[in-house]
Each structure stands twice: as structure tokens, then as C-alpha cells.
Amino acid sequence: MAFPTTINRIDDMHLHLRDGPILASLTKQIPSYVARAIIMPNLKPPVVNTEQALAYRDRIIAGLPEGSSFEPLMTLYMTDKTTPDEIVRAKESGKVFAVKLYPAGATTNSDSGVTDLKLLTKTFEKMAEVGMPLCVHSEVTDKTIDIFDREKEFLGRHLKDVIESNPNLKVILEHITTKEAADFVNSYGPNVAATITCHHLLFNRNAIFEGGIRPHMYCLPILKQEIDRQSLLGAIKSGSPKFFAGTDSAPHIQERKESSCGCAGVYTQHAALEFYTKAFAEADCLQHLEAFTSINGAKFYGLPRVSGQVTIEAKDWVVPDSYPLGDSKVIPLMCGETLPYKAKDQN
């Protein structure tokens, strides 16, 4: 692929927009080349029912810049008490596109998450029946399990049974980070897929400790070994439709990252397509970029392809040191560094 090159506008199938003053900042920072995004529901309090999801959608749309065509695709936050009836209401709304499973305590604002998957047997069955996808944060919370092993432990201990008990249920492993997760997705049929973040494609766990502790590189699931990163690169190089873009852009104000107990999350919303382009270029598989960012996710979710195009140029630019975030600021991925690609809308 030669530059400049033009592709369809993109779908971000995993995005955190937060709420309140932070939401007001983030809606202004969504690149116009992002057409749609699956919006994460782990607010305080979490978005646990359809009424709350629709109200949150209204707040997002109200905060968008004039003329924006961005479409938020809403999700519900699964708890031990999520009912089959709530799944039906969500599906019938036409605005809720998935249900997110957070194991309780696994990541930011997940304390209200699921403690026992067996409590949700009927709910999973109803999701399969009505065609409501399940998005999964695939990590165990057992403190005896090493933080670098929590994803692969979850797959065999918990997720395997859910998938095999519900063969018609569409399941998305969110932000996969390990060789085992990539292999797991490939071992099942077309109803099992995965999102991959740009930072897990670009960096391994050494980036957290380069020259000292790098709090803005800390995320959950945490960056893994180089062998795992190479497996993720192998997934995108394969061109498989089972893998697609989901940035998991997860902003926190600077003070909450640079503290004695810093929050997990990497902010990538500001340059999602540029980061993915860099990863695909370095992996020598730019021919698969458009499918990964603009086609595979939509097809898996049963959505039409978006309209509009974006042109990517081979053009150096320096990532700002920070962006506004509520009353503070957020430090973006690769702040102060040069990115070799720049994207702009065509229509």
C-alpha cells in the first residue's frame, strides 16, 4: 500500500467516554474519521439497564461538536442480576448493541461486575436467542494468579464453558493480549471474535519500565511479553475477519495516573487510526488495515458499513504533551513523540 491511501471511516469497537465534565472533553476529541464506537458502560454508577443506556447515549450526543456524525453504540454492564427480560428490552431499543461482562474487581469501575457466571445461564441463553453479543473482559481476579497470567487463566476456567454451552451466542474477547487468547479465538467458529488495541500491537511490557515507571503505559489487561505481541501481529497479518479494532482508549486525569496507586488505562482516542497504521506498516500488512478498522467489526455486529472516507498520509507530526480532560488534562500515548502518519476525512 502506497501513501497517501484512502479507506472507509473507521469503527472503534471498544471506547471509554466516561461521564460528566470528562465526557464533555472527550466528545470534542473524537477524530472525525471515527464513525461509530461501542461505548463502555463502566461508569459510576454503572449502566446496568436499557433506560440508563439510552440516557447516557443522549448525554454523549449532546456533547458532540456541531456537524458531528459520530454514532455511539451503547452497551449494558452485566451484573449477577442481569435478567433475560432486560436483554429483550435492550435488543428492542435498537440502540443497545452488546452486553459487557466485567469479572468483579478486574479493572476500573468493575466492582459491581459478575461474581459467578452460573447465575447468568438463562441470561446467556436469551442473548443467544435474540442476537445480543457478549463483550468480555477476560481476566480472573484471583490474587494468587500472576497479573501477567490472568487473561489466559480466564479462558479455560470460565469462558470456554460459556461459549460451548451457548454455540449461537456471539462473543467478543475484548482487548486480547496473549498468544493463548489469539489461539483461543482461532479455535472456535465465526461466533467468537476479538478486539485488539493499538497499544498492545505496538508495545510489550518493557514499555512500562523503560527508564523508570511509566504510569501512562499501565493498562488492564497489562502489556505482555514480546512473544504475545508477535502473536497479536500474527493475527492482524492473517487478515482473519475474527479480529478488529477496539482501542480501549481509557483516559484518566494526570493526577490519577501519576499517584501512589495509579489508575489503569492508556489514552489513544486522539490518534487511533494513526497508531493502527503504524502497527500495520511495521508488520508489513497494510493491505489488511481497512478490513480491520472499518469492515470486520461491523460485519460481526451485523451493522452496515459506514459512509465516508479518510485519507492517510505519510506525514510526520508530534503528539501533544496533553489534552484537556474535565478540569485537568490527560497524557496521551506517545506524548511529545513523532508519529509518521496523519489521517484526515475526505467526506
Side-chain angles (χ1 to χ4, degrees):
M1 179 186 291
F3 292 96
T5 188
T6 298
I7 66 171
N8 263 41
R9 292 170 69 213
I10 76 171
D11 290 317
D12 184 349
M13 294 308 192
H14 186 131
L15 180 63
H16 295 270
L17 288 178
R18 311 304 192 202
D19 209 352
I22 290 179
L23 170 64
S25 296
L26 293 175
T27 51
K28 306 298 190 294
Q29 295 168 24
I30 300 170
S32 54
Y33 57 68
V34 179
R36 300 176 293 208
I38 294 286
I39 306 299
M40 293 298 105
N42 57 329
L43 307 181
K44 285 187 174 182
V47 179
V48 299
N49 61 48
T50 305
E51 182 181 6
Q52 292 171 345
L54 297 179
Y56 184 30
R57 181 179 185 273
D58 288 343
R59 296 196 298 276
I60 294 170
I61 292 173
L64 293 172
E66 185 176 352
S68 172
S69 61
F70 174 77
E71 181 183 3
L73 309 175
M74 308 312 293
T75 61
L76 298 187
Y77 182 114
M78 179 171 274
T79 73
D80 290 343
K81 298 180 179 180
T82 302
T83 65
D85 286 346
E86 190 59 54
I87 299 302
V88 172
R89 281 191 289 272
K91 183 68 176 181
E92 290 178 347
S93 76
K95 305 297 184 185
V96 177
F97 292 86
V99 176
K100 181 64 181 278
L101 191 166
Y102 293 100
T107 189
T108 302
N109 298 344
S110 64
D111 292 345
S112 301
V114 175
T115 64
D116 185 354
L117 291 173
K118 294 183 178 64
L119 298 173
L120 294 160
T121 298
K122 295 297 184 183
T123 302
F124 291 137
E125 291 174 356
K126 182 60 67 173
M127 291 174 66
E129 178 187 329
V130 303
M132 179 67 77
L134 176 69
C135 298
V136 185
H137 183 113
S138 301
E139 288 190 292
V140 298
T141 56
D142 185 340
K143 295 185 185 301
T144 66
I145 304 298
D146 190 283
I147 191 170
F148 294 102
D149 296 330
R150 291 178 183 178
E151 180 177 87
K152 60 185 179 183
E153 186 72 19
F154 185 91
L155 303 177
R157 187 187 293 191
H158 299 297
L159 193 55
K160 182 175 184 289
D161 287 344
V162 173
I163 291 172
E164 294 182 359
S165 299
N166 301 277
N168 294 323
L169 177 63
K170 284 192 169 186
V171 177
I172 304 98
L173 281 70
E174 301 274 49
H175 43 50
I176 63 169
T177 64
T178 58
K179 178 181 184 299
E180 289 80 4
D183 291 344
F184 185 90
V185 172
N186 281 322
S187 72
Y188 286 96
N191 278 350
V192 178
T195 59
I196 308 178
T197 77
C198 37
H199 49 285
H200 286 104
L201 289 172
L202 290 169
F203 300 98
N204 63 35
R205 65 189 184 183
N206 291 336
I208 306 171
F209 310 105
E210 187 176 342
I213 297 293
R214 303 271 183 160
H216 300 287
M217 295 299 298
Y218 170 56
C219 58
L220 289 174
I222 200 164
L223 297 171
K224 300 300 195 302
Q225 297 182 75
E226 180 63 13
I227 188 173
D228 296 303
R229 190 178 79 91
Q230 290 299 324
S231 292
L232 301 185
L233 293 175
I236 66 171
K237 290 166 75 172
S238 73
S240 169
K242 293 167 72 68
F243 301 99
F244 41 87
T247 62
D248 190 21
S249 180
H252 296 281
I253 59 172
Q254 184 176 12
E255 294 85 351
R256 293 197 67 198
K257 291 289 288 182
E258 299 173 7
S259 71
S260 61
C261 186
C263 295
V266 173
Y267 183 61
T268 55
Q269 175 182 311
H270 60 294
L273 182 53
E274 288 88 344
F275 287 134
Y276 279 123
T277 302
K278 177 176 167 62
F280 275 70
E282 291 177 354
D284 194 25
C285 62
L286 281 166
Q287 70 273 22
H288 298 311
L289 177 64
E290 182 177 33
F292 181 85
T293 59
S294 313
I295 298 172
N296 296 347
K299 186 176 293 186
F300 188 83
Y301 276 91
L303 300 170
R305 285 180 63 171
V306 298
S307 60
Q309 295 182 311
V310 53
T311 292
I312 309 165
E313 300 176 322
K315 180 181 180 181
D316 287 351
W317 64 287
V318 177
V319 177
D321 291 335
S322 66
Y323 288 91
L325 194 64
D327 295 330
S328 184
K329 57 187 176 181
V330 61
I331 307 302
L333 183 67
M334 292 186 63
C335 64
E337 298 184 45
T338 299
L339 270 176
Y341 304 100
K342 189 65 176 171
K344 62 178 181 178
D345 279 0
Q346 293 303 294
N347 52 56

